Amino acid sequence: MATIYEVSKLAGVSLATVSRVINNNAPVRQATRVKVLDAMDKLGYHPNSIAQSLASSRSNSIGIVVSELNGPFFGTLLSDIEAAFRRAGKHVIIAAGHSDERLEKESIAFLKSRNCDALILHVEAVSDDYLRQLNEGGTPFVILNRFVESMSDRCVTLNNQHGGYLATQHLLRNGHRKIGYISGPMWKNDAEQRYLGHLRALAEYGIESKSSLFYEGDFHELGGVKGVAALLHADADITAIVCANDEMAAGAVTTAREQGLRLPEDLSIVGFDNVNFSHYMYPKLTTIDYPIGGMGVMAARWVLKHIYQQKLDNIQTVFEPRVIERDSVHSI
Amino acid sequence: MATIYEVSKLAGVSLATVSRVINNNAPVRQATRVKVLDAMDKLGYHPNSIAQSLASSRSNSIGIVVSELNGPFFGTLLSDIEAAFRRAGKHVIIAAGHSDERLEKESIAFLKSRNCDALILHVEAVSDDYLRQLNEGGTPFVILNRFVESMSDRCVTLNNQHGGYLATQHLLRNGHRKIGYISGPMWKNDAEQRYLGHLRALAEYGIESKSSLFYEGDFHELGGVKGVAALLHADADITAIVCANDEMAAGAVTTAREQGLRLPEDLSIVGFDNVNFSHYMYPKLTTIDYPIGGMGVMAARWVLKHIYQQKLDNIQTVFEPRVIERDSVHSI
DNA sequence: TAGTATTATGTAAGCGCTTTCATGTATAGC
DNA sequence: GCTATACATGAAAGCGCTTACATAATACTA
């Protein structure tokens, strides 16, 4: 591998000049620039990014923490973030936090030790206090899908409450009055917000919430399976269920059918997230769109703007969900 | 951020000694080690990995190229690879090749410029020649899901042909004789192999293959949609279809149902890959398991063994598919 | 045309670590 | 007690860049 030194010798200029043409950050006479470029070409020179990083104390890498690497939700997120940074010549280092406090902290420590210039965090288990403390720690970061008071400009969130509201409102508008709710783990902020939205929609229609219509699931298929069983057992008159995410909706659909219900005639279901498989389901799932890709890109833009000084327009921090109507809701 | 120099001063030893206790690669007296460890602790010292990389010309990063970052298939792959490396203190840099020759080459160049110690490549569009040439280029790599003669020890592949064989054999054993086949793009090696397996199974049962029973799809949902339409149009007596991947199977299922067929009674379908959503489908999809996660881990182990000198058992390079029986095949 | 402002280039000191080589010190063998 | 051997440590030269700072070349002004 050729080094900058060899290039400078071949071009008959100093190291500094070569560095200037590489980084294009200081005036260089055209003739000189050409000589250098030729020399680089002749030697097949590529700058050593490690050395650049050490000298400039900038690694051009961004650390991403997500709960899981697989799963349709995070796939879309990572895909769009990677594309955004790649275009800017930056690269991403990815770590999985598995919604576990220890693992999330470990991931963050790992990425910091890797000299990331910034982090994008989708973390669920660590506390707000931890994040505030991390904020003192030198490595800047932006938070996805979570709102922390003192750093609101760096939180990119979905209006989860409105999403929960929309899901239930959609059912209400279709004539349903006895609506079950399968929630995510209530210690997760988005699960709580979605449920709050559900309650608000109910209240608007003057409907009382009953605990027999609520089931706290796990955001996984199994939660949907158990949730349907529990809800139907507690109250056989339910005509619709909102599931706080699509995976639980999938479990709910399967179980409801196994219990002999026709979908959507006997039971309407609405999901949340609009994950890629939701339209492979049968009936195709009516759900709430979560523009996760766009939110990831926005997080990336924050980093590009504030860390790498790219001039970009203002950053949108709150995204709005919307209903995706498909076939799993029956009008009564 | 404290540096090794400050640690050495506080501990009253030389830089070299501190380095030795960090890397644990040379004898250090216990008392000295303790002094150094204490000093590191007191200063909250963490080695600067960039500086380590520059000095040791080892970046401890592994580049991964996959076709897409989203999609269930690659999600599983990435997840397992990341976990395997993370355990070893290495990190992965991920790039998407999008099954496009230019983008794949660009991704590889990008990762090389990032000083990756090794690459794991799931590339489809670049030629074998290109890979052979890349092989001269200094950065070692292992290839996933593709066999290149001269580097067979570094190709981790699925026995795709056997998979295709199993899919069709399963149908045959269930009494089907008129079997449609929706293939992936035939320029992709795995698509071709799977089809060859299909043919072999047919031959074993003395059944002739007819071109009206073959449709070349795109490995995406749309391919399944169009494939079913085409196949049913050409030959209404078909009782079963094998789809060369699960996404096409999803499209096929939807379309078949829209055409008024009952599944699986009127039409049996088998997929390929056993992607996570295949059991969310209705009917739950019978498919061929592709142990992609295990294969990714094996690729990671190759790197750990050959690049980082970890002593690991031998590396398995060929994986076997197997039938996952669910509900989409009807016995006649 | 001298004097000043601007632009272009070079010099050299790091960035924070690893690693070779040399040196020093303890242990064993006789 | 003296040499041979292994073990422990230190000094210093990089790894391949960036970036003050200094200096040289050129352009502009009056």
Side-chain angles (χ1 to χ4, degrees):
Chain A
M1 215 51 194
T3 72
I4 198 176
Y5 176 71
E6 302 170 42
V7 174
S8 79
K9 267 216 328 216
L10 182 57
V13 301
S14 72
L15 293 189
T17 300
V18 177
S19 176
R20 287 181 187 112
V21 353
I22 292 172
N23 294 294
N24 200 28
N25 58 1
V28 173
R29 207 193 318 158
Q30 187 57 20
T32 317
R33 181 186 305 279
V34 170
K35 274 194 303 185
V36 171
L37 257 15
D38 278 357
M40 299 202 314
D41 218 52
K42 212 160 289 171
L43 294 169
Y45 170 80
H46 288 282
N48 179 324
S49 62
I50 300 280
Q52 288 181 311
S53 295
L54 183 59
S56 64
S57 55
R58 172 145 292 181
S59 69
N60 289 309
S61 68
I62 298 93
I64 319 282
V65 178
V66 292
S67 299
E68 306 295 338
L69 262 51
N70 52 4
F73 188 78
F74 294 111
T76 304
L77 175 63
L78 294 176
S79 180
D80 289 0
I81 291 182
E82 190 263 352
F85 281 126
R86 181 76 172 286
R87 250 176 268 128
K90 317 292 177 195
H91 76 272
V92 300
I93 303 181
I94 294 175
H98 299 292
S99 306
D100 176 274
E101 183 173 0
R102 193 178 53 79
L103 292 177
E104 286 181 354
K105 287 184 178 175
E106 229 174 77
S107 292
I108 292 170
F110 179 74
L111 293 173
K112 286 181 68 171
S113 85
R114 240 58 210 195
N115 296 71
C116 291
D117 296 332
L119 306 179
I120 294 179
L121 304 179
H122 186 294
V123 288
E124 313 186 284
V126 297
S127 68
D128 283 9
D129 270 348
Y130 171 81
L131 290 172
R132 272 189 283 268
Q133 192 179 322
L134 185 64
N135 200 17
E136 316 291 298
T139 306
F141 57 92
V142 7
I143 304 174
L144 271 179
N145 196 29
R146 176 163 173 169
F147 185 80
V148 181
E149 194 66 57
S150 55
M151 18 193 182
S152 54
D153 61 312
R154 284 143 52 222
C155 295
V156 177
T157 57
L158 181 76
N159 189 338
N160 274 299
Q161 186 174 137
H162 188 57
Y165 174 82
L166 287 176
T168 301
Q169 185 197 49
H170 181 69
L171 254 12
L172 258 6
R173 285 188 175 164
N174 278 277
H176 296 274
R177 289 299 176 268
K178 200 110 186 211
I179 302 174
Y181 191 91
I182 302 180
S183 164
M186 289 297 271
W187 63 268
K188 295 194 181 185
N189 177 62
D190 47 357
E192 187 192 356
Q193 290 299 316
R194 291 172 190 187
Y195 181 59
L196 256 28
H198 166 72
L199 256 26
R200 186 153 57 82
L202 247 31
E204 263 183 22
Y205 275 70
I207 298 175
E208 228 177 311
S209 73
K210 287 173 50 184
S211 73
S212 65
L213 293 175
F214 175 85
Y215 180 85
E216 180 172 343
D218 57 1
F219 272 153
H220 297 298
E221 189 185 10
L222 191 61
V225 168
K226 289 188 183 171
V228 163
L231 257 22
L232 255 28
H233 181 76
D235 200 329
D237 300 345
I238 288 176
T239 63
I241 294 180
V242 0
C243 298
N245 78 350
D246 289 350
E247 274 183 70
M248 295 199 298
V253 163
T254 307
T255 307
R257 189 148 38 219
E258 280 169 7
Q259 302 220 353
L261 298 178
R262 289 168 310 153
L263 302 180
E265 294 82 357
D266 297 335
L267 186 69
S268 290
I269 291 190
V270 3
F272 203 118
D273 283 352
N274 190 27
V275 121
N276 66 353
F277 66 72
S278 63
H279 88 289
Y280 290 155
M281 290 170 54
Y282 179 73
K284 291 183 179 176
L285 188 66
T286 291
T287 189
I288 304 298
D289 186 51
Y290 193 135
I292 182 64
M295 291 171 60
V297 169
M298 204 47 81
R301 289 168 62 91
W302 188 95
V303 173
L304 256 14
K305 176 171 181 173
H306 291 93
I307 309 303
Y308 298 115
Q309 278 74 46
Q310 291 195 4
K311 19 202 171 331
L312 292 169
D313 292 343
N314 274 341
I315 305 296
Q316 178 186 356
T317 54
V318 181
F319 283 67
E320 292 299 328
R322 64 200 169 86
V323 177
I324 304 289
E325 281 193 59
R326 288 199 278 250
D327 308 332
S328 66
V329 172
H330 182 65
S331 202
I332 55 178
Chain B
M1 214 52 193
T3 72
I4 197 176
Y5 176 71
E6 303 170 41
V7 174
S8 79
K9 267 218 324 219
L10 182 57
V13 301
S14 71
L15 294 188
T17 300
V18 178
S19 175
R20 285 179 188 114
V21 353
I22 291 173
N23 295 292
N24 200 27
N25 57 2
V28 173
R29 207 193 319 157
Q30 186 57 19
T32 316
R33 179 186 308 278
V34 170
K35 274 193 303 186
V36 171
L37 257 15
D38 278 357
M40 299 202 314
D41 218 51
K42 213 159 288 171
L43 294 168
Y45 169 80
H46 288 283
N48 178 322
S49 62
I50 300 280
Q52 288 181 312
S53 295
L54 182 59
S56 64
S57 56
R58 172 146 294 179
S59 69
N60 288 310
S61 68
I62 297 92
I64 319 281
V65 179
V66 292
S67 299
E68 307 295 337
L69 261 52
N70 52 5
F73 188 78
F74 294 111
T76 305
L77 175 64
L78 293 176
S79 181
D80 289 1
I81 291 182
E82 190 261 354
F85 281 125
R86 181 77 172 288
R87 249 176 270 128
K90 316 295 178 193
H91 75 271
V92 299
I93 302 179
I94 294 175
H98 298 291
S99 306
D100 175 275
E101 183 171 0
R102 191 177 55 79
L103 292 177
E104 285 181 354
K105 287 184 179 176
E106 229 173 79
S107 292
I108 291 171
F110 179 74
L111 294 173
K112 285 181 69 171
S113 84
R114 242 55 212 197
N115 297 70
C116 290
D117 296 333
L119 306 178
I120 294 179
L121 305 178
H122 186 294
V123 288
E124 312 186 284
V126 297
S127 67
D128 283 10
D129 270 349
Y130 170 81
L131 290 171
R132 270 188 284 268
Q133 191 180 321
L134 184 65
N135 200 17
E136 316 291 299
T139 306
F141 58 91
V142 7
I143 304 173
L144 271 180
N145 196 28
R146 176 163 173 171
F147 186 80
V148 181
E149 193 66 58
S150 55
M151 18 191 182
S152 54
D153 61 312
R154 284 144 52 224
C155 296
V156 177
T157 57
L158 180 76
N159 189 339
N160 274 298
Q161 187 176 134
H162 189 57
Y165 173 83
L166 287 176
T168 301
Q169 184 197 49
H170 181 69
L171 255 11
L172 258 5
R173 285 186 174 164
N174 277 279
H176 296 274
R177 291 298 176 266
K178 200 113 186 207
I179 302 173
Y181 190 91
I182 301 180
S183 164
M186 288 298 270
W187 63 268
K188 294 193 181 185
N189 178 61
D190 47 357
E192 187 193 358
Q193 290 298 317
R194 290 172 190 189
Y195 182 58
L196 256 28
H198 166 72
L199 257 25
R200 186 152 57 82
L202 248 31
E204 262 184 22
Y205 275 69
I207 297 175
E208 230 176 309
S209 74
K210 286 173 53 184
S211 72
S212 65
L213 293 175
F214 175 85
Y215 179 85
E216 180 171 342
D218 58 1
F219 271 152
H220 297 299
E221 189 183 10
L222 191 61
V225 168
K226 289 189 184 171
V228 163
L231 256 24
L232 255 29
H233 181 76
D235 200 327
D237 300 345
I238 288 176
T239 64
I241 294 180
V242 0
C243 298
N245 79 349
D246 288 350
E247 275 184 69
M248 295 199 298
V253 163
T254 307
T255 306
R257 191 150 35 219
E258 280 168 7
Q259 302 220 352
L261 297 180
R262 289 168 309 155
L263 302 179
E265 294 81 358
D266 298 335
L267 186 68
S268 291
I269 292 190
V270 4
F272 203 117
D273 282 352
N274 190 26
V275 122
N276 66 351
F277 67 71
S278 63
H279 89 290
Y280 291 154
M281 289 170 55
Y282 179 73
K284 291 185 178 176
L285 188 67
T286 292
T287 188
I288 305 297
D289 185 50
Y290 192 135
I292 182 63
M295 290 170 60
V297 170
M298 205 48 80
R301 288 166 63 90
W302 189 94
V303 172
L304 257 13
K305 176 171 181 172
H306 290 94
I307 309 303
Y308 298 115
Q309 278 74 46
Q310 291 195 3
K311 19 202 172 334
L312 292 169
D313 291 344
N314 274 340
I315 305 297
Q316 178 186 355
T317 54
V318 181
F319 283 66
E320 292 299 329
R322 65 203 169 86
V323 177
I324 305 289
E325 281 193 60
R326 288 199 277 249
D327 308 333
S328 66
V329 171
H330 183 64
S331 201
I332 56 179

